[in-house]
Short mmCIF file of all heavy atoms in Angstrom, two decimals:
data_model
loop_
_atom_site.label_atom_id
_atom_site.label_comp_id
_atom_site.label_asym_id
_atom_site.label_seq_id
_atom_site.Cartn_x
_atom_site.Cartn_y
_atom_site.Cartn_z
N LEU A 652 4.97 30.53 2.96
CA LEU A 652 4.72 31.35 4.14
C LEU A 652 4.74 30.55 5.45
O LEU A 652 5.31 30.98 6.45
CB LEU A 652 3.37 32.06 4.02
CG LEU A 652 3.23 33.07 2.89
CD1 LEU A 652 1.81 33.59 2.82
CD2 LEU A 652 4.20 34.22 3.09
N PHE A 653 4.12 29.37 5.45
CA PHE A 653 3.89 28.64 6.71
C PHE A 653 4.60 27.29 6.77
O PHE A 653 4.42 26.55 7.74
CB PHE A 653 2.40 28.42 6.92
CG PHE A 653 1.61 29.69 6.93
CD1 PHE A 653 0.71 29.96 5.92
CD2 PHE A 653 1.77 30.61 7.94
CE1 PHE A 653 -0.03 31.13 5.92
CE2 PHE A 653 1.04 31.79 7.95
CZ PHE A 653 0.14 32.05 6.93
N ASN A 654 5.39 26.93 5.74
CA ASN A 654 6.09 25.65 5.71
C ASN A 654 5.11 24.47 5.77
O ASN A 654 5.32 23.50 6.48
CB ASN A 654 7.09 25.55 6.86
CG ASN A 654 8.48 25.30 6.36
OD1 ASN A 654 8.74 25.37 5.17
ND2 ASN A 654 9.39 25.00 7.26
N ARG A 655 4.01 24.58 5.02
CA ARG A 655 2.99 23.53 4.94
C ARG A 655 2.95 22.97 3.52
O ARG A 655 3.02 23.73 2.55
CB ARG A 655 1.60 24.09 5.23
CG ARG A 655 1.34 24.42 6.61
CD ARG A 655 -0.12 24.84 6.77
NE ARG A 655 -0.25 25.61 7.98
CZ ARG A 655 -0.96 26.70 8.12
NH1 ARG A 655 -1.62 27.17 7.10
NH2 ARG A 655 -1.02 27.32 9.27
N TYR A 656 2.80 21.66 3.41
CA TYR A 656 2.75 21.01 2.12
C TYR A 656 1.54 20.09 2.09
O TYR A 656 1.17 19.49 3.09
CB TYR A 656 4.03 20.20 1.87
CG TYR A 656 5.26 21.07 1.84
CD1 TYR A 656 6.00 21.31 2.99
CD2 TYR A 656 5.66 21.70 0.67
CE1 TYR A 656 7.12 22.13 2.98
CE2 TYR A 656 6.77 22.52 0.64
CZ TYR A 656 7.49 22.72 1.79
OH TYR A 656 8.59 23.54 1.77
N GLY A 657 0.91 19.98 0.91
CA GLY A 657 -0.28 19.17 0.76
C GLY A 657 -0.02 17.95 -0.10
O GLY A 657 0.75 17.99 -1.06
N PHE A 658 -0.69 16.85 0.23
CA PHE A 658 -0.56 15.60 -0.50
C PHE A 658 -1.92 14.94 -0.64
O PHE A 658 -2.75 15.01 0.27
CB PHE A 658 0.36 14.61 0.24
CG PHE A 658 1.78 15.08 0.37
CD1 PHE A 658 2.20 15.77 1.49
CD2 PHE A 658 2.69 14.84 -0.64
CE1 PHE A 658 3.50 16.20 1.62
CE2 PHE A 658 3.99 15.26 -0.53
CZ PHE A 658 4.40 15.95 0.59
N PHE A 659 -2.14 14.29 -1.78
CA PHE A 659 -3.23 13.33 -1.89
C PHE A 659 -2.70 12.03 -1.32
O PHE A 659 -1.62 11.58 -1.70
CB PHE A 659 -3.67 13.12 -3.34
CG PHE A 659 -4.40 14.30 -3.93
CD1 PHE A 659 -3.85 15.04 -4.95
CD2 PHE A 659 -5.65 14.65 -3.46
CE1 PHE A 659 -4.51 16.11 -5.50
CE2 PHE A 659 -6.34 15.73 -4.00
CZ PHE A 659 -5.76 16.46 -5.02
N VAL A 660 -3.44 11.41 -0.40
CA VAL A 660 -2.96 10.21 0.26
C VAL A 660 -3.99 9.10 0.12
O VAL A 660 -5.15 9.33 -0.27
CB VAL A 660 -2.65 10.46 1.75
CG1 VAL A 660 -1.52 11.45 1.92
CG2 VAL A 660 -3.87 10.95 2.50
N ASN A 661 -3.57 7.90 0.44
CA ASN A 661 -4.45 6.74 0.42
C ASN A 661 -5.56 6.94 1.46
O ASN A 661 -5.27 7.32 2.60
CB ASN A 661 -3.63 5.49 0.76
CG ASN A 661 -4.40 4.22 0.54
OD1 ASN A 661 -5.62 4.19 0.67
ND2 ASN A 661 -3.68 3.17 0.22
N PRO A 662 -6.83 6.70 1.11
CA PRO A 662 -7.91 6.93 2.07
C PRO A 662 -7.84 6.06 3.32
O PRO A 662 -8.41 6.39 4.35
CB PRO A 662 -9.18 6.61 1.27
CG PRO A 662 -8.80 6.82 -0.14
CD PRO A 662 -7.35 6.44 -0.24
N ALA A 663 -7.10 4.94 3.27
CA ALA A 663 -6.99 4.07 4.43
C ALA A 663 -5.84 4.44 5.34
O ALA A 663 -5.67 3.86 6.41
CB ALA A 663 -6.83 2.62 3.97
N ALA A 664 -5.01 5.42 4.95
CA ALA A 664 -3.82 5.79 5.73
C ALA A 664 -4.21 6.68 6.90
O ALA A 664 -5.09 7.52 6.79
CB ALA A 664 -2.82 6.50 4.84
N ASN A 665 -3.51 6.48 8.03
CA ASN A 665 -3.75 7.35 9.18
C ASN A 665 -2.62 8.36 9.30
O ASN A 665 -1.69 8.38 8.49
CB ASN A 665 -3.90 6.53 10.47
CG ASN A 665 -2.69 5.70 10.78
OD1 ASN A 665 -1.58 6.03 10.40
ND2 ASN A 665 -2.91 4.60 11.49
N LYS A 666 -2.70 9.24 10.29
CA LYS A 666 -1.75 10.34 10.41
C LYS A 666 -0.33 9.86 10.67
O LYS A 666 0.63 10.45 10.17
CB LYS A 666 -2.20 11.30 11.51
CG LYS A 666 -3.47 12.05 11.15
CD LYS A 666 -3.84 13.04 12.22
CE LYS A 666 -5.11 13.76 11.86
NZ LYS A 666 -5.45 14.82 12.81
N LEU A 667 -0.17 8.81 11.45
CA LEU A 667 1.17 8.30 11.74
C LEU A 667 1.82 7.73 10.50
O LEU A 667 3.02 7.93 10.25
CB LEU A 667 1.11 7.24 12.85
CG LEU A 667 0.68 7.74 14.22
CD1 LEU A 667 0.54 6.58 15.19
CD2 LEU A 667 1.66 8.75 14.75
N GLU A 668 1.06 7.00 9.68
CA GLU A 668 1.60 6.46 8.44
C GLU A 668 1.98 7.57 7.46
O GLU A 668 3.01 7.49 6.78
CB GLU A 668 0.59 5.52 7.79
CG GLU A 668 0.34 4.26 8.56
CD GLU A 668 -0.82 3.44 8.01
OE1 GLU A 668 -1.62 3.98 7.23
OE2 GLU A 668 -0.91 2.26 8.37
N ILE A 669 1.17 8.62 7.41
CA ILE A 669 1.46 9.75 6.52
C ILE A 669 2.74 10.45 6.99
O ILE A 669 3.62 10.77 6.18
CB ILE A 669 0.27 10.73 6.49
CG1 ILE A 669 -0.93 10.06 5.85
CG2 ILE A 669 0.63 12.01 5.75
CD1 ILE A 669 -2.23 10.81 6.04
N LYS A 670 2.89 10.64 8.29
CA LYS A 670 4.08 11.29 8.83
C LYS A 670 5.33 10.48 8.50
O LYS A 670 6.33 11.03 8.03
CB LYS A 670 3.93 11.45 10.35
CG LYS A 670 5.14 12.06 11.01
CD LYS A 670 4.93 12.18 12.50
CE LYS A 670 6.18 12.75 13.15
NZ LYS A 670 6.03 12.95 14.58
N GLU A 671 5.29 9.18 8.71
CA GLU A 671 6.45 8.33 8.43
C GLU A 671 6.78 8.31 6.94
O GLU A 671 7.95 8.33 6.56
CB GLU A 671 6.19 6.91 8.93
CG GLU A 671 6.13 6.81 10.44
CD GLU A 671 5.63 5.46 10.93
OE1 GLU A 671 5.32 4.59 10.07
OE2 GLU A 671 5.53 5.29 12.15
N ALA A 672 5.76 8.31 6.08
CA ALA A 672 5.99 8.27 4.64
C ALA A 672 6.63 9.56 4.14
O ALA A 672 7.55 9.53 3.32
CB ALA A 672 4.68 8.01 3.90
N VAL A 673 6.17 10.71 4.64
CA VAL A 673 6.75 11.99 4.22
C VAL A 673 8.19 12.11 4.72
O VAL A 673 9.07 12.54 3.98
CB VAL A 673 5.88 13.17 4.73
CG1 VAL A 673 6.57 14.50 4.50
CG2 VAL A 673 4.54 13.16 4.02
N GLU A 674 8.43 11.70 5.96
CA GLU A 674 9.79 11.77 6.49
C GLU A 674 10.75 10.86 5.73
O GLU A 674 11.88 11.22 5.46
CB GLU A 674 9.79 11.43 7.98
CG GLU A 674 9.19 12.53 8.84
CD GLU A 674 9.12 12.16 10.31
OE1 GLU A 674 9.26 10.97 10.65
OE2 GLU A 674 8.90 13.08 11.13
N ALA A 675 10.28 9.67 5.37
CA ALA A 675 11.14 8.73 4.65
C ALA A 675 11.37 9.17 3.20
O ALA A 675 12.47 9.03 2.67
CB ALA A 675 10.52 7.34 4.68
N THR A 676 10.35 9.71 2.55
CA THR A 676 10.45 10.07 1.15
C THR A 676 11.26 11.34 0.94
O THR A 676 12.11 11.40 0.04
CB THR A 676 9.05 10.26 0.54
OG1 THR A 676 8.30 9.07 0.77
CG2 THR A 676 9.12 10.52 -0.94
N TYR A 677 11.01 12.37 1.75
CA TYR A 677 11.61 13.67 1.50
C TYR A 677 12.73 14.04 2.49
O TYR A 677 13.37 15.07 2.31
CB TYR A 677 10.54 14.76 1.52
CG TYR A 677 9.54 14.59 0.40
CD1 TYR A 677 8.27 14.08 0.63
CD2 TYR A 677 9.88 14.92 -0.91
CE1 TYR A 677 7.36 13.91 -0.40
CE2 TYR A 677 8.98 14.76 -1.93
CZ TYR A 677 7.72 14.25 -1.67
OH TYR A 677 6.83 14.09 -2.69
N GLY A 678 12.95 13.25 3.53
CA GLY A 678 14.04 13.52 4.46
C GLY A 678 13.84 14.77 5.30
O GLY A 678 14.79 15.48 5.58
N VAL A 679 12.62 15.05 5.68
CA VAL A 679 12.32 16.21 6.53
C VAL A 679 11.70 15.71 7.83
O VAL A 679 11.29 14.56 7.93
CB VAL A 679 11.34 17.19 5.83
CG1 VAL A 679 11.97 17.79 4.61
CG2 VAL A 679 10.03 16.51 5.48
N SER A 680 11.64 16.57 8.83
CA SER A 680 10.98 16.20 10.08
C SER A 680 9.60 16.87 10.12
O SER A 680 9.49 18.08 9.94
CB SER A 680 11.81 16.62 11.28
OG SER A 680 12.08 17.99 11.25
N VAL A 681 8.59 16.06 10.32
CA VAL A 681 7.20 16.51 10.29
C VAL A 681 6.75 16.84 11.70
O VAL A 681 6.95 16.07 12.64
CB VAL A 681 6.29 15.42 9.68
CG1 VAL A 681 4.83 15.83 9.76
CG2 VAL A 681 6.69 15.16 8.24
N GLU A 682 6.15 18.02 11.87
CA GLU A 682 5.64 18.43 13.17
C GLU A 682 4.17 18.11 13.35
O GLU A 682 3.74 17.70 14.42
CB GLU A 682 5.85 19.94 13.36
CG GLU A 682 7.29 20.34 13.49
CD GLU A 682 7.46 21.83 13.72
OE1 GLU A 682 6.48 22.57 13.50
OE2 GLU A 682 8.56 22.23 14.10
N LYS A 683 3.37 18.28 12.29
CA LYS A 683 1.92 18.15 12.43
C LYS A 683 1.32 17.66 11.13
O LYS A 683 1.78 18.02 10.05
CB LYS A 683 1.34 19.52 12.79
CG LYS A 683 -0.11 19.55 13.17
CD LYS A 683 -0.47 20.97 13.58
CE LYS A 683 -1.89 21.06 14.06
NZ LYS A 683 -2.24 22.42 14.45
N VAL A 684 0.29 16.81 11.22
CA VAL A 684 -0.42 16.31 10.04
C VAL A 684 -1.91 16.54 10.26
O VAL A 684 -2.47 16.18 11.30
CB VAL A 684 -0.14 14.80 9.82
CG1 VAL A 684 -0.95 14.27 8.65
CG2 VAL A 684 1.33 14.54 9.61
N ARG A 685 -2.54 17.16 9.26
CA ARG A 685 -4.00 17.33 9.28
C ARG A 685 -4.57 16.65 8.05
O ARG A 685 -3.99 16.75 6.96
CB ARG A 685 -4.37 18.81 9.28
CG ARG A 685 -4.02 19.48 10.59
CD ARG A 685 -4.21 20.93 10.49
NE ARG A 685 -3.21 21.43 9.54
CZ ARG A 685 -2.77 22.67 9.54
NH1 ARG A 685 -3.22 23.53 10.39
NH2 ARG A 685 -1.87 23.06 8.67
N THR A 686 -5.68 15.97 8.20
CA THR A 686 -6.26 15.22 7.09
C THR A 686 -7.68 15.69 6.82
O THR A 686 -8.38 16.17 7.72
CB THR A 686 -6.27 13.71 7.37
OG1 THR A 686 -7.02 13.46 8.55
CG2 THR A 686 -4.87 13.16 7.52
N MET A 687 -8.09 15.52 5.55
CA MET A 687 -9.44 15.86 5.12
C MET A 687 -9.95 14.75 4.22
O MET A 687 -9.25 14.35 3.29
CB MET A 687 -9.45 17.17 4.33
CG MET A 687 -9.00 18.36 5.10
SD MET A 687 -8.77 19.78 4.03
CE MET A 687 -7.09 19.53 3.55
N ASN A 688 -11.13 14.24 4.49
CA ASN A 688 -11.75 13.24 3.63
C ASN A 688 -12.79 13.91 2.75
O ASN A 688 -13.66 14.64 3.24
CB ASN A 688 -12.45 12.16 4.47
CG ASN A 688 -11.47 11.15 5.01
OD1 ASN A 688 -10.69 10.59 4.25
ND2 ASN A 688 -11.49 10.93 6.31
#
Side-chain angles (χ1 to χ4, degrees):
L652 296 175
F653 303 113
N654 238 9
R655 287 185 200 138
Y656 298 92
F658 296 94
F659 288 113
V660 296
N661 189 331
N665 60 27
K666 292 183 181 185
L667 294 175
E668 293 172 343
I669 294 167
K670 178 180 178 177
E671 291 170 1
V673 170
E674 287 177 345
T676 304
Y677 296 104
V679 295
S680 57
V681 175
E682 292 182 345
K683 188 176 184 180
V684 176
R685 290 172 294 205
T686 59
M687 298 170 272
N688 281 307

